[in-house]
Amino acid sequence: MKQLSTKVTSNAHGQDSSYFLGWEEYEKNPYDEIKNPNGIIQMGLAENQLCFDLIETWLAKNPDAAGLKKDGQSIFKELALFQDYHGLPEFKKALAEFMEEIRGNRVTFDPRKIVLAAGSTSANETLMFCLAEPGEAFLLPTPYYPGFDRDLKWRTGAEIVPIHCSSSNGFQITESALQQAYQQAQKLDLNVKGILVTNPSNPLGTMLTRRELNLLVDFITSKNIHLISDEIYSGTVFGFEQFVSVMDVLKDKKLENTEVSKRVHVVYSLSKDLGLPGFRVGAIYSNDEMVVSAATKMSSFGLVSSQTQYLLSALLSDKKFTGTYLNENKKRLKIRQRQLVSGLEAAGVTCLKSNAGLFCWVDMRHLLDTNTFEAELELWKKIVYEVKLNISPGSSCHCTEPGWFRVCFANMSEETLDLAMKRLKEYVESTDSNRLISKSSHERIKSLRKRTVSNWVFRVSWTDRVPDER
């Protein structure tokens, strides 16, 4: 008799992806400046560690929040007993206002339409359960976050059909790519329930343009399907650009409070903007009352602790702090991203121009032996095992072009990032030297062969001429 379920015994979780395998190799041999200076540097983890000092300073100045006190009196028991899966009203209000602040207060979020979840992983899966039956599909533009193969499919039974994007236009979404993905789903006899995008993009580190957002809203309107906009990196947009949300587009197109707006859902989390993945705070925002109701009931399987909600409601309600934090976070991200880009350029490596996120989309196509995904994986293995850098290969993100890699920059110190770039530069230089030596050897062999053939031809010709001259 079968003892375990198919879900347990299958590899549908996606843990065998090179994205996760790189993490496993790092965990076996993690870099430490003192204890293990020759270890693997983790550049495959999109974690924001640049502004912990700001949060810790706030905590020191607000001991009641950290100590679970109100007006100097302990509310530990009250919080420990609270178990309403609707969440603390003051936290949902503070979260809604923080989301508005990130978007320049151009749009509003109703706290009653927010569903709390244990991170964006839980939020995205919950939306899949709400919007799709097992075997129905969502379209995702490539390259996309490798974890979506787990988050969207593993337990829900939903399917993913890629929207193939190309480096020729910076991996932007086009109408033809949308149509081709939709038609491909139909060929596979899959009912398309919607599109899911990350904005800003993981792994590209770019914002969706207004053109792309308008295209997406028009497409879901014509097809009568859903749009999920995962905006987990919305507070990481740096430079002079402002983050443009799908909510901005709904407002611009005067689609607020319409049937179309009911099919547009936003996912958010404090994991990236505030650098708090361990707090497991995610959210769904939807204008569909039935989705909000069902998702709220499902949230009982992945609640955010009341202690966490209390602490963060105090932090997010401090407008002076949030304004300072968002501005400083963007400044530090821009500086650190520039450090990575400069280090890559010094190594002869370029990347896609980006303005958001905790990573760069790096072009290493010139380092491939052949233009194949097999060659990409071979290069990835060398970088992990020899160069000792864990980066994520494009194939794990379903990129259609071999040789692209996601490289993270915000989860380490400046010194560690400099060391990582030094290692990469040495590897590229040694690779170039080996190629030159190989090319030189190849040219010498060709030259030797040519001379040998010429001598042979000369001897044969001379021998053939002798009888004629006698």
Side-chain angles (χ1 to χ4, degrees), residues 36-50:
N36 190 21
N38 295 317
I40 296 174
I41 296 174
Q42 175 62 291
M43 305 189 83
L45 179 60
E47 211 169 60
N48 186 359
Q49 297 185 18
L50 302 187

Side-chain angles (χ1 to χ4, degrees), residues 23-51:
W23 283 17
E24 291 177 10
E25 292 307 311
Y26 163 77
E27 288 166 0
K28 294 175 188 175
N29 183 25
Y31 167 80
D32 183 272
E33 183 181 1
I34 306 300
K35 298 177 182 178
N36 190 21
N38 295 317
I40 296 174
I41 296 174
Q42 175 62 291
M43 305 189 83
L45 179 60
E47 211 169 60
N48 186 359
Q49 297 185 18
L50 302 187
C51 289

Side-chain angles (χ1 to χ4, degrees), residues 9-300:
T9 54
S10 74
N11 62 355
H13 177 275
Q15 196 73 34
D16 57 349
S17 163
S18 51
Y19 173 73
F20 291 109
L21 293 177
W23 283 17
E24 291 177 10
E25 292 307 311
Y26 163 77
E27 288 166 0
K28 294 175 188 175
N29 183 25
Y31 167 80
D32 183 272
E33 183 181 1
I34 306 300
K35 298 177 182 178
N36 190 21
N38 295 317
I40 296 174
I41 296 174
Q42 175 62 291
M43 305 189 83
L45 179 60
E47 211 169 60
N48 186 359
Q49 297 185 18
L50 302 187
C51 289
F52 276 136
D53 60 312
L54 301 182
I55 296 176
E56 288 172 336
T57 298
W58 184 91
L59 290 171
K61 293 179 179 178
N62 296 270
D64 275 10
L68 305 181
K69 294 180 180 181
K70 191 172 186 178
D71 300 325
Q73 300 296 313
S74 173
I75 56 170
F76 173 79
K77 182 178 180 180
E78 178 185 336
L79 293 171
L81 295 176
F82 180 84
Q83 53 184 321
D84 186 346
Y85 50 51
H86 288 84
L88 290 173
E90 56 266 35
F91 174 62
K92 293 173 76 172
K93 178 177 181 293
L95 182 62
E97 291 175 353
F98 185 62
M99 292 167 67
E100 291 169 1
E101 185 176 7
I102 288 172
R103 291 155 183 79
N105 293 307
R106 297 183 304 275
V107 295
T108 58
F109 290 92
D110 185 345
R112 295 169 298 179
K113 298 178 180 179
I114 288 178
V115 180
L116 300 180
S120 62
T121 295
S122 176
N124 279 310
E125 185 188 54
T126 298
L127 275 176
M128 285 297 110
F129 276 121
C130 289
L131 305 181
E133 300 288 354
E136 292 185 321
F138 264 74
L139 311 181
L140 270 69
T142 63
Y144 63 77
Y145 165 54
F148 280 148
D149 293 318
R150 167 201 64 198
D151 302 352
L152 308 183
K153 296 171 54 177
W154 187 40
R155 298 198 300 183
T156 67
E159 296 293 338
I160 292 175
V161 176
I163 303 168
H164 292 302
C165 301
S166 163
S167 64
S168 62
N169 70 344
F171 295 98
Q172 291 188 17
I173 302 168
T174 63
E175 184 174 4
S176 61
L178 279 173
Q179 294 289 357
Q180 288 169 15
Y182 193 86
Q183 291 165 9
Q184 178 63 22
Q186 290 180 317
K187 288 178 183 177
L188 296 171
D189 200 25
L190 294 172
N191 183 33
V192 176
K193 294 306 295 287
I195 301 170
L196 187 148
V197 296
T198 54
N199 183 30
S201 168
N202 176 9
L204 299 178
T206 57
M207 282 193 304
L208 290 178
T209 63
R210 282 187 179 272
R211 180 198 64 77
E212 290 174 284
L213 289 167
N214 278 308
L215 174 63
L216 289 166
V217 171
D218 290 345
F219 190 83
I220 66 139
T221 301
S222 66
K223 301 296 185 185
N224 196 32
I225 58 178
H226 295 271
L227 173 62
I228 300 174
S229 182
D230 185 334
E231 300 182 357
I232 188 174
Y233 291 98
S234 55
T236 69
V237 177
F238 44 81
F240 296 105
E241 296 93 344
Q242 282 188 321
F243 172 65
V244 180
S245 167
V246 68
M247 301 297 286
D248 287 289
V249 172
L250 289 179
K251 183 178 180 180
D252 293 344
K253 295 172 81 69
K254 295 181 171 49
L255 290 172
E256 296 173 300
N257 303 315
T258 64
E259 286 302 311
V260 174
S261 72
K262 288 184 179 181
R263 299 200 306 277
V264 176
H265 319 275
V266 173
V267 168
Y268 185 59
S269 167
L270 298 179
S271 296
K272 309 303 181 181
D273 293 347
L274 282 184
L276 301 175
F279 277 39
R280 306 309 306 149
V281 180
I284 296 167
Y285 188 84
S286 176
N287 286 308
D288 190 311
E289 291 181 6
M290 290 185 67
V291 170
V292 172
S293 176
T296 301
K297 293 166 188 169
M298 290 182 189
S299 71
S300 62

